[in-house]
Amino acid sequence: MADKPKINLNRIKMPKQEPEIRAHNFDEVATGYTLEMAKEEAGRCIQCKKRNCVAGCPVNVNIPEFVMALRDGDMWGAVDQLKANNALPGICGRVCPQESQCEFVCTLGKKGAPIAIGRLERFVADWECDQSDKPKPQIAPSTGKKVAIVGSGPAGLTTAADLAKLGHQITLFEALHVAGGVLMYGIPEFRLPKGIVQGEVDYVKTLGVDVRLNSVIGKIDTIDELLADSYDAIFLGTGAGLPMFLGLPGENLNGIYSANEYLTRTNLMKAYLFPEYDTPIKKSRRVVVIGGGNVAMDSARCAMRLGAEEVYIVYRRSREELPARAEEVENAEEEGIIFKLLTNPKRFIGDENGWVTQMECLEMELGEPDDSGRRRPIVKEGSEFLIDVDTVVVALGTTPNPLIPSTTPGLDTTRKGTVVAEEETGKTVKDKVWAGGDLVTGAATVISAMGAGKRAAAAIDAYLKG
Amino acid sequence: MYKIMHREDLTPQIHLFEIEAPAVAKKAQAGQFVILMVDEKGERFPLTIGGWDREKGSVPIVFMEVGKTTRKLAKLKAGDSIHAFIGPLGIPTHTDNVGTVVCVAGGFATAIVVPVAQALKDAGNKIISVMGFRNKDLMFWEDKLKEVSDELIICTDDGSYGRKALVTEPLKEILEANKDVKLVIAIGPTIMMKFASLTTQPFGVKTLVSLNPIMVDGTGMCGCCRVAIGDDTKFVCVDGPDFDAHQVDWDVLMARQKSYCDEEKTSVDIWEDYCRTQMGGKA
Ligand SMILES: Cc1cc2nc3c(=O)[nH]c(=O)nc-3n(C[C@H](O)[C@H](O)[C@H](O)COP(=O)(O)OP(=O)(O)OC[C@H]3O[C@@H](n4cnc5c(N)ncnc54)[C@H](O)[C@@H]3O)c2cc1C
Ligand code: FES
């Protein structure tokens, strides 16, 4: 019997810019595998029968198949397998929380490091992007049906692409002056280059989708007016873009930003290139970011790149509960971001001109698990202390913007402001209206928004042909 | 891209542009605003609309040259285009019939007051207007405001036209003389709105102001435009721009408006330099 080759229990390391260098530029942190590296990593996959990874993926990408094709050097085969269920692999490979999804359940993970599925996904997507002889997408003959899609984040883009390929006439309305949603205004260039997002938007346009920017639905036409104006169905993918503040004393002082404002100025408006671009952002010395999710990590890492001397993450639970992608927490630590865990803000103190100068904090400890299953943070009485700051970024989460629900009679919303829609189809209780993504789930992930878009597209297509 | 259909210089520093934007024109109402970007590298900034023409599909905006952005905008001619024009945003001014309304206009905000006064007059109100300018040379639209007002008082800071006074003086006299004034609407520079508010407060007359904080998106996404109204924090772009003047925390608003003074100066310096060297002219 031939010797079984020994499995390498370690994954191939991702090439990255050195922390000291990348902390001062906005170029992508991870530079990506080479073909050799990708093939070697793909070769670690044992092609097990369990297919846990597929079940662990919110859109059930054919992971073992695309990894095998890559290993065998069949690049177009890998592309086809990958894109069968995932419209945005170049984006998902970069921003999905793989460690809690596909890679979490990888069989190899029991003995060593799971296959680096996200990195391979990114490699295959980037490879395809570089090819000049891409096959033309197949577009079905026109059905004569018109669909309006509101919001151009991952949910809206996916729905638009799928429905356009099925032959429907699609108009995509976006409130901002660029399409892409959070992918453009929130997630920074160094984690998700904007050229990649723009590539996806351009692809959607090549399918015949009419993208109308600067169009705030509810302020120009309402949903009912769009329906009366000849649209046969509508998909709402307006996301969860309304920032939450703490409601603490001093929160309106100058120098205190919501993460949405901080990131929008930096990424969408390119304030890091001020004064070449006109939008300014404060040059800070000591920045505190409040929160522990991806949004907080992105804000802190932007602050570093904008030239701050010290950047803190203040989070009320412990390291284990940090909701951000593990890789981003590591990256942030490497870049010198200081984590102040089990800490909560109490109030903000300003100078005579209204600028924030200090933040009073409280120490916390963890008690019994709460509804979310995480241990509840409890205030340590009398533990107040002060941190000197000149910039504070509040990254506590977002809820859906009420504009669409409030201008659309007949939609059902929850207490949290999300729109009620069926899980499997995205159908709302309102006739001819579907919804998906963060608008329905509250702030979640790119892949779940994309999955919702795919399911809604299938349901809308069935309805239009029914 | 949004075409400038028509340009008119109301004074050397104050300009009216009529922008082609049918979707906005179709829905615009008095008191609402738009967000503009002059070019791809420009900032997003708000301007309250100076009316609308639903047939032509256009929206007039009036602006004064202050910082880099407005100076850059002022360089454009009819036929040129701007990068983005988003609206109509904010809640329209409530224009119910309440009886007698005093409309106070400060400086270039006269352009915003005219459609508001028009809507209030159409609703059946009696309109007493007060308009104030620093001097005669900065004045415009006396005729337009006169047309929609039952009574019009004009003042200038230096007395070069009309009465030599700040708008608060005639405002106070009107309130003393007319017990039936039910509403005051004051729109102009923040400092003027603050003092108009202080003037009407002792009379207990409901007073609305149109606030103009720094904005980014203008749709409730960033919180840059937040102000303290009574005990609450409100986003001007979605909860306003009109607010009960007596509830506004003016100090917070004015401090936040100064957030980027230093950066603005840098921008203006670079722009002036650019104009001198590249365009061979004045900024
Ligand atoms: C800073 C940040 C970092 C993140 N990092 C990650 C990550 O690493 N991994 C991950 O999986 N997820 C991440 N997320 C979450 C992820 O980006 C979102 O879950 C996802 O983008 C939701 O997609 P969506 O299509 O539902 O909505 P969005 O992406 O929010 O798009 C909604 C779009 O609708 C537009 N819109 C809103 N109202 C209207 C209207 N009335 N008319 C017209 N258009 C309108 C908005 O302008 C926006 O463009 C992050 C989020 C943020 C903010
Ligand atoms: S301008 Fe961003 S919320 Fe008002």
Side-chain angles (χ1 to χ4, degrees):
Chain A
M1 221 171 82
D3 266 359
K4 247 182 147 180
K6 254 198 40 219
I7 298 165
N8 183 354
L9 291 180
N10 296 310
R11 45 172 64 181
I12 303 292
K13 267 182 80 172
M14 178 60 124
K16 285 193 219 172
Q17 285 192 66
E18 289 303 321
E20 311 77 65
I21 295 170
R22 70 179 193 239
H24 304 289
N25 68 50
F26 275 81
D27 299 338
E28 191 167 20
V29 168
T31 46
Y33 281 163
T34 59
L35 178 62
E36 290 66 40
M37 291 166 136
K39 280 184 162 176
E40 193 177 341
E41 180 63 23
R44 292 176 61 230
C45 175
I46 56 171
Q47 294 287 324
C48 63
K49 292 279 161 311
K50 293 204 195 104
R51 299 173 64 82
N52 289 341
C53 51
V54 180
C57 170
V59 298
N60 309 116
V61 167
N62 301 331
I63 295 167
E65 286 78 6
F66 101 76
V67 171
M68 184 153 72
L70 169 59
R71 182 195 68 190
D72 296 344
D74 171 14
M75 292 309 293
W76 282 117
V79 170
D80 289 343
Q81 290 292 350
L82 182 55
K83 290 187 94 174
N85 286 338
N86 186 342
L88 309 168
I91 294 168
C92 292
R94 287 175 167 82
V95 305
C96 267
Q98 290 94 2
E99 75 274 6
S100 57
Q101 298 180 165
C102 53
E103 295 176 10
F104 179 66
V105 290
C106 172
T107 306
L108 266 189
K110 295 199 183 94
K111 292 232 174 77
I115 293 284
I117 300 167
R119 297 174 186 175
L120 296 180
E121 179 180 24
R122 163 185 168 160
F123 178 80
V124 173
D126 290 358
W127 179 87
E128 189 208 3
C129 201
D130 289 341
Q131 306 310 305
S132 47
D133 55 340
K134 281 194 254 312
K136 285 253 173 316
Q138 297 285 321
I139 300 176
S142 172
T143 60
K145 301 284 186 190
K146 284 175 69 182
V147 183
I149 292 174
V150 188
S152 66
L157 285 176
T158 310
T159 316
D162 281 13
L163 286 173
K165 280 190 273 190
L166 291 163
H168 306 298
Q169 190 187 332
I170 311 297
T171 313
L172 176 56
F173 295 98
E174 168 55 48
L176 290 170
H177 61 281
V178 293
V182 169
L183 308 177
M184 274 298 192
Y185 77 74
I187 304 181
E189 176 79 20
F190 56 81
R191 205 149 72 75
L192 178 62
K194 299 307 142 216
I196 293 177
V197 184
Q198 192 56 50
E200 295 299 342
V201 173
D202 291 343
Y203 167 74
V204 167
K205 284 192 200 157
T206 63
L207 300 173
V209 173
D210 177 12
V211 179
R212 303 228 185 125
L213 303 174
N214 305 318
S215 303
V216 186
I217 298 302
K219 287 294 181 185
I220 50 169
D221 284 338
T222 61
I223 299 301
D224 282 335
E225 283 166 325
L226 290 176
L227 286 171
D229 183 42
S230 78
Y231 286 100
D232 300 295
I234 295 188
F235 175 79
L236 305 174
T238 50
L242 198 72
M244 286 196 258
F245 282 95
L246 292 145
L248 294 178
E251 205 169 10
N252 294 330
L253 287 164
N254 281 353
I256 304 185
Y257 293 86
S258 75
N260 265 5
E261 181 185 351
Y262 201 70
L263 293 169
T264 299
R265 282 182 181 273
T266 310
N267 303 317
L268 181 71
M269 307 310 296
K270 307 234 184 292
Y272 65 92
L273 298 174
F274 177 86
E276 184 199 339
Y277 280 73
D278 291 340
T279 303
I281 193 156
K282 256 327 185 228
K283 284 261 173 287
S284 323
R285 237 167 41 76
R286 287 171 63 93
V287 181
V288 168
V289 178
I290 302 167
N294 286 322
V295 185
M297 299 306 138
D298 285 345
S299 304
R301 296 172 71 198
C302 280
M304 204 71 180
R305 284 160 173 79
L306 287 165
E309 288 161 26
E310 276 172 48
V311 182
Y312 295 88
I313 292 260
V314 163
Y315 178 59
R316 63 197 184 126
R317 301 184 206 243
S318 71
R319 198 177 194 291
E320 263 165 55
E321 288 85 14
L322 282 171
R325 290 178 84 213
E327 195 178 331
E328 306 315 336
V329 175
E330 272 162 38
N331 282 335
E333 276 177 329
E334 282 177 14
E335 288 163 18
I337 310 259
I338 304 158
F339 284 73
K340 278 206 164 298
L341 303 166
L342 291 165
T343 305
N344 217 18
K346 187 177 170 188
R347 68 185 172 111
F348 304 97
I349 301 160
D351 65 14
E352 65 284 359
N353 296 321
W355 283 90
V356 66
T357 54
Q358 284 185 312
M359 175 167 121
E360 187 173 27
C361 295
L362 285 161
E363 287 176 30
M364 311 293 281
E365 55 198 351
L366 292 181
E368 294 301 309
D370 62 13
D371 300 343
S372 70
R374 295 177 304 177
R375 292 176 64 195
R376 186 191 304 274
I378 306 168
V379 172
K380 275 197 210 168
E381 289 305 332
S383 63
E384 283 87 350
F385 67 98
L386 292 170
I387 310 184
D388 290 334
V389 291
D390 55 17
T391 299
V392 175
V393 181
V394 182
L396 288 180
T398 49
T399 55
N401 192 315
L403 178 58
I404 293 286
S406 69
T407 54
T408 311
L411 274 185
D412 210 2
T413 50
T414 66
R415 208 165 30 87
K416 290 181 180 155
T418 53
V419 166
V420 178
E422 284 172 17
E423 164 90 27
E424 276 315 305
T425 61
K427 184 72 186 62
T428 68
V429 293
K430 188 174 172 73
D431 204 26
K432 300 185 184 178
V433 178
W434 282 256
D438 283 5
L439 172 67
V440 172
T441 55
T445 58
V446 172
I447 189 78
S448 62
M450 203 200 81
K454 280 205 149 314
R455 294 192 299 275
I460 292 170
D461 180 57
Y463 163 79
L464 293 175
K465 289 178 178 160
Chain B
M1 299 294 269
Y2 299 81
K3 202 166 101 189
I4 301 165
M5 297 169 76
H6 171 75
R7 170 184 171 138
E8 201 178 317
D9 299 321
L10 303 177
T11 76
Q13 302 291 317
I14 300 175
H15 315 284
L16 179 145
F17 282 8
E18 207 177 312
I19 309 286
E20 183 173 52
V24 183
K26 184 175 154 196
K27 287 302 182 79
Q29 293 180 60
Q32 288 188 297
F33 68 93
V34 289
I35 292 271
L36 297 85
M37 278 173 85
V38 179
D39 53 35
E40 216 174 327
K41 293 183 176 177
E43 53 185 344
R44 293 172 63 103
F45 70 105
L47 284 178
T48 304
I49 55 173
W52 54 84
D53 187 327
R54 301 210 209 281
E55 261 156 47
K56 266 167 64 190
S58 65
V59 177
I61 48 163
V62 173
F63 65 96
M64 183 160 64
E65 291 182 49
V66 193
K68 174 185 174 186
T69 296
T70 42
R71 291 182 203 200
K72 201 157 81 169
L73 186 59
K75 288 271 182 221
L76 301 180
K77 307 176 294 292
D80 291 343
S81 291
I82 57 173
H83 186 64
F85 190 82
I86 302 140
L89 301 171
I91 300 170
T93 303
H94 291 292
T95 47
D96 302 335
N97 184 355
V98 292
T100 302
V101 182
V102 180
C103 293
V104 184
F108 86 99
T110 303
I112 306 163
V113 172
V114 167
V116 172
Q118 174 83 62
L120 283 161
K121 189 174 174 67
D122 291 348
N125 291 286
K126 177 180 172 199
I127 310 290
I128 306 174
S129 295
V130 181
M131 68 190 253
F133 284 87
R134 279 213 308 278
N135 62 56
K136 181 169 184 278
D137 294 338
L138 298 173
M139 248 183 57
F140 65 93
W141 279 18
E142 177 188 355
D143 51 338
K144 292 204 185 199
L145 193 54
K146 194 170 199 160
E147 206 179 298
V148 295
S149 309
D150 296 275
E151 216 176 292
L152 172 65
I153 299 159
I154 300 174
C155 19
T156 50
D157 293 8
D158 66 354
S160 52
Y161 191 81
R163 189 170 154 185
K164 180 175 188 303
L166 298 173
V167 288
T168 42
E169 273 178 49
L171 174 61
K172 183 158 178 248
E173 290 161 15
I174 294 166
L175 294 177
E176 280 165 349
N178 298 270
K179 297 289 173 250
D180 54 345
V181 172
K182 288 287 177 319
L183 176 68
V184 173
I185 292 190
I187 310 179
T190 305
I191 191 75
M192 181 217 96
M193 294 194 283
K194 175 181 172 175
F195 280 99
S197 170
L198 290 173
T199 305
T200 62
Q201 201 150 19
F203 295 92
V205 178
K206 184 171 171 191
T207 302
L208 287 180
V209 283
S210 176
L211 302 185
N212 50 355
I214 301 173
M215 293 190 185
V216 182
D217 60 300
T219 63
M221 190 189 90
C222 75
C224 174
C225 62
R226 66 194 191 274
V227 286
I229 305 289
D231 293 331
D232 298 325
T233 292
K234 298 279 186 196
F235 289 4
V236 171
C237 69
V238 286
D239 301 319
D242 290 356
F243 288 98
D244 176 350
H246 302 145
Q247 300 291 317
V248 174
D249 186 328
W250 296 97
D251 296 340
V252 168
L253 176 64
M254 286 194 267
R256 290 188 63 81
Q257 283 172 331
K258 295 195 188 101
S259 292
Y260 293 102
C261 279
D262 299 346
E263 290 79 4
E264 186 61 49
K265 202 179 159 321
T266 308
S267 276
V268 168
D269 289 349
I270 294 173
W271 173 249
E272 286 183 342
D273 221 42
Y274 172 78
C275 290
R276 259 192 307 273
T277 54
Q278 305 292 316
M279 299 163 108
K282 236 171 57 38

